[in-house]
Structure formats: structure tokens, C-alpha cells
Amino acid sequence: AAPSRIVFGSCCRQDKPQPVWDAILAEKPDLFLMIGDNIDGDSQDMAVLKAKWDQLGAVPGFAKLKQTCPVLATWDDHDYGADDAGAEFPKKKESQQLFLDAFGVAADAPIRRQEGVYASHEFGPPERRVQVILLDTRYHRSPLKKSGRKKGDPGFLGPYTRNTEPGATILGEEQWKWFE
């Protein structure tokens, strides 16, 4: 059936109390989307990252949610493995497999063989179909460029500026082809 109640969230802290799951469950979602920073991972040590995913998986409310409705996810920097990381993150392949493990993705699923966690999911019959497209803005993203400005500087908009280099990308060539 097509989901009619889609709930989403982000920025979980696996090491903090998470009473929010009770409120989410009370909404009776047909589908839940985790859209990034699903854990506060920030580690190149895959044993540490796995332990953090396991910690989230052990949260009773989150475990109950996964039994109640489908849970789909993409990642952002902290669950990817490093603050503001992109294609330069040296453990991205290993991190991807841990991410997919955490969300119960089958060992033989095609997403396990691609570079990045982007995916499309369809629910419901053709006349009522809902398509959810989750993009990966980390795995292939070109390195960020520092703005050189600091908080308090006139015109400060953050620590980064536009990357105008030819070939700079967020999604990467393969993901763009797939998305097209």
C-alpha cells in the first residue's frame, strides 16, 4: 500500500535519551525517513562507528519503530564518519557497509555494490504510487573550500565558500546518471 503518513527526522544522538521515538510512534507512521546525522559517529575506526550504530539500534523506541513501519535512510557527515567529510573520507566504503547493516539492507542488495547510499523506493499500486528518492551528498562530494572568514567578520555566511572548480560535484557522475 502507498504510505499516507510519512514521518521524517534527523540528528539522533545515540548516546543521549531519545524520548522523541514515543511521539513519532504516536503519529502511527506508514513510513519513516532518516535523513542524515542519524548517529553522531565521527570516527575512522570502524569498530567505534559500528558500536555507535549498534547503540542506536538498541534504543527501545527506535527498535519499536523499525518493527512498526519501513525505515529508509540516507546519511550526512556525522553518520558518514567525519564532520563535513565528502569524497576524501578514507573509510567511505567500509562506512557504507556499516550504514547498510544498521538499516537491515540485505547482503545481496544492489546498493551494497554501488558507491554511495542513494536509492529510490516505490510503494503502492501504479495509480497511487509514492516514490521516495534518497540522495547521497557525501560519498562523491568534492572537498569543501574554506571561505577564510570567521564568525563576527562582516558578511560571514559560514566557514565555506562556493567551489567553482571545473568538475566539482555533490552527487558524482554515476549518481547523476542514476538520478536522471
Side-chain angles (χ1 to χ4, degrees), residues 150-179:
K150 298 177 185 141
K151 283 186 181 179
D153 288 350
F156 178 76
L157 298 174
Y160 303 110
T161 189
R162 290 178 38 195
N163 184 343
T164 58
E165 293 179 20
T169 186
I170 293 175
L171 301 182
E173 190 174 330
E174 264 321 292
Q175 188 174 182
W176 269 118
K177 286 179 188 175
W178 168 86
F179 189 44

Side-chain angles (χ1 to χ4, degrees), residues 80-103:
Y80 181 57
D83 189 31
D84 294 334
E88 73 282 0
F89 184 60
K91 297 288 188 166
K92 61 186 177 182
K93 290 181 182 187
E94 298 89 340
S95 180
Q96 177 175 334
Q97 297 308 311
L98 290 177
F99 175 89
L100 297 172
D101 290 346
F103 290 100

